[in-house]
Amino acid sequence: NAGVTQTPKFQVLKTGQSMTLQCAQDMNHNSMYWYRQDPGMGLRLIYYSASEGTTDKGEVPNGYNVSRLNKREFSLRLESAAPSQTSVYFCASTIEQTAGYGYTFGSGTRLTVV
Amino acid sequence: AQSVTQLGSHVSVSEGALVLLRCNYSSSVPPYLFWYVQYPNQGLQLLLKYTSAATLVKGINGFEAEFKKSETSFHLTKPSAHMSDAAEYFCAVSDRAGNTGKLIFGQGTTLQVKP
């Protein structure tokens, strides 16, 4: 019962480098989300995918892109990393976006940009 | 627009004391409401949720929360704190109207439990 799996768990990047954060869920969920967590700011939504084949911007999308590769996988890409993107990134999924089921979260990726 | 406010970024209680974590929301339609817990270096885990079936909601680990529409509140309580309850707690709201059901999170409350 893996749930939501995120890779890598830790990453250090230099300013300007690119990387992709991977997320996969094995619960047959339709909707997937990427959040970033910063001290004192809670979790802020970066991008989400209500269903396979669709993606939409959240609250803080600048500097990020996403791909819903298939129903299971939803990746987050930083094209040119900046120190302001130092954060903990969480992927989450739910059965249906509007059904009030709540989300299942991955364990997070801790990213430092130097 | 929806929003969530958690009153108090840090709450400290003694072991065995009542735990009360406050959450107020703003929503134009009756919302879904959630409490999540995050232990150090882990992801978020769902504690409980309100989806209009009952105003008093019981969750895992002895926690419960009461939805009060008149006060736009969804405070989290536990009668007797355990050391293992020390964690960060997040309240979240979801708009059940249309297709906008994204979760909006509060800033979080860190619960410290003193022996």
Side-chain angles (χ1 to χ4, degrees):
Chain A
N1 54 346
V4 177
T5 302
Q6 291 184 236
T7 56
K9 293 189 183 301
F10 301 92
Q11 183 71 50
V12 178
L13 288 179
K14 294 182 179 180
T15 298
Q17 286 185 320
S18 62
M19 79 163 294
T20 299
L21 282 64
Q22 306 287 354
C23 174
Q25 52 88 11
D26 61 1
M27 298 170 287
N28 202 35
H29 285 175
N30 287 307
S31 302
M32 299 184 73
Y33 307 82
W34 277 105
Y35 284 85
R36 60 178 289 173
Q37 182 181 24
D38 301 291
M41 303 188 74
L43 279 77
R44 294 180 292 168
L45 182 63
I46 305 171
Y47 270 94
Y48 67 101
S49 171
S51 61
E52 185 179 359
T54 69
T55 60
D56 284 288
K57 295 178 180 179
E59 181 184 355
V60 288
N62 291 343
Y64 305 95
N65 283 300
V66 291
S67 295
R68 183 74 182 267
L69 304 171
N70 48 54
K71 191 171 185 178
R72 292 185 62 249
E73 299 173 286
F74 187 39
S75 63
L76 178 72
R77 183 162 179 82
L78 287 70
E79 292 291 351
S80 179
S84 61
Q85 294 178 304
T86 293
S87 188
V88 181
Y89 292 85
F90 287 101
C91 177
S93 68
T94 190
I95 298 173
E96 293 291 347
Q97 182 169 250
T98 59
Y101 290 104
Y103 295 176
T104 300
F105 281 84
S107 57
T109 294
R110 282 160 178 76
L111 175 66
T112 301
V113 183
V114 297
Chain B
Q2 293 176 298
S3 66
V4 175
T5 301
Q6 291 183 239
L7 300 177
S9 59
H10 288 85
V11 170
S12 181
V13 302
S14 298
E15 191 173 20
L18 172 71
V19 175
L20 171 61
L21 304 182
R22 300 178 186 273
C23 173
N24 287 89
Y25 70 91
S26 172
S27 177
S28 59
V29 297
Y32 296 124
L33 292 161
F34 305 83
W35 274 100
Y36 283 85
V37 60
Q38 184 182 30
Y39 299 104
N41 300 313
Q42 295 187 25
L44 279 71
Q45 179 183 0
L46 181 64
L47 267 180
L48 50 79
K49 62 182 180 181
Y50 166 76
T51 57
S52 79
T55 57
L56 182 61
V57 180
K58 295 186 184 298
I60 61 172
N61 301 337
F63 284 94
E64 62 182 36
E66 185 173 8
F67 172 69
K68 292 187 176 180
K69 183 178 179 181
S70 61
E71 298 178 6
T72 61
S73 68
F74 190 57
H75 301 332
L76 182 70
T77 61
K78 182 174 181 178
S80 176
H82 291 175
M83 297 296 292
S84 60
D85 294 327
E88 190 162 19
Y89 292 80
F90 292 94
C91 182
V93 62
S94 174
D95 181 359
R96 65 173 67 188
N99 64 353
T100 65
K102 302 180 293 294
L103 282 186
I104 307 298
F105 286 86
Q107 305 93 317
T109 298
T110 300
L111 176 65
Q112 179 187 22
V113 182
K114 297 177 292 185

